């Protein structure tokens, strides 16, 4: 008879699994301490407004990845849609 297959034990390693998140948070806290609050709020809204199209593309790509439908054509379709949007925007 074949030997039973043992499941690997789950080991929680906070430094390994949350290290980058913690580093990012520390950097954001450090940056936010050196920026005046009025400039920071205005800047956040400006970035959100100016980069909204990238957020929409990112959400769409996330859905494709989560459903397992990722292949090479998805990236080229997203790139084509971005170029077409840019050209349409420039024409107006």
């Amino acid at each position: 008879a074949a030997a039973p297959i043992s499941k690997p034990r789950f080991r929680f390693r906070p430094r390994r699994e949350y290290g980058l998140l913690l580093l990012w948070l520390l950097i954001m806290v450090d940056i936010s301490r050196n920026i005046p609050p009025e400039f920071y709020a205005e800047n956040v809204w400006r970035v959100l407004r100016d980069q909204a199209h990238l957020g929409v593309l990112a959400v769409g790509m996330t859905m494709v990845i989560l459903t397992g439908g990722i292949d090479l054509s998805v990236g080229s379709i997203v790139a084509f849609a971005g170029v077409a949007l840019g050209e349409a925007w420039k024409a107006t």
Side-chain angles (χ1 to χ4, degrees), residues 3-83:
I5 299 174
S6 63
K7 290 174 43 177
R9 282 185 1 168
F10 176 74
R11 292 178 48 189
F12 181 68
R13 299 183 192 124
R15 281 183 296 177
R16 185 175 210 181
E17 301 185 0
Y18 295 110
L20 286 177
L21 177 63
L22 181 62
L23 179 65
W24 181 79
L25 286 173
L26 288 173
I27 290 172
M28 290 297 111
V29 167
D30 184 50
I31 289 173
S32 66
R33 287 188 320 174
N34 298 321
I35 297 176
E38 63 277 357
F39 176 74
Y40 181 71
E42 178 185 336
N43 194 34
V44 167
W45 286 114
R46 184 179 299 138
V47 169
L48 288 175
R49 185 188 66 227
D50 292 346
Q51 301 301 319
H53 62 284
L54 293 179
V56 171
L57 287 174
V59 168
M61 283 300 294
T62 301
M63 293 302 154
V64 169
I65 291 170
L66 288 177
T67 58
I70 184 95
D71 61 3
L72 295 178
S73 66
V74 174
S76 35
I77 290 171
V78 168
F80 175 74
V83 170

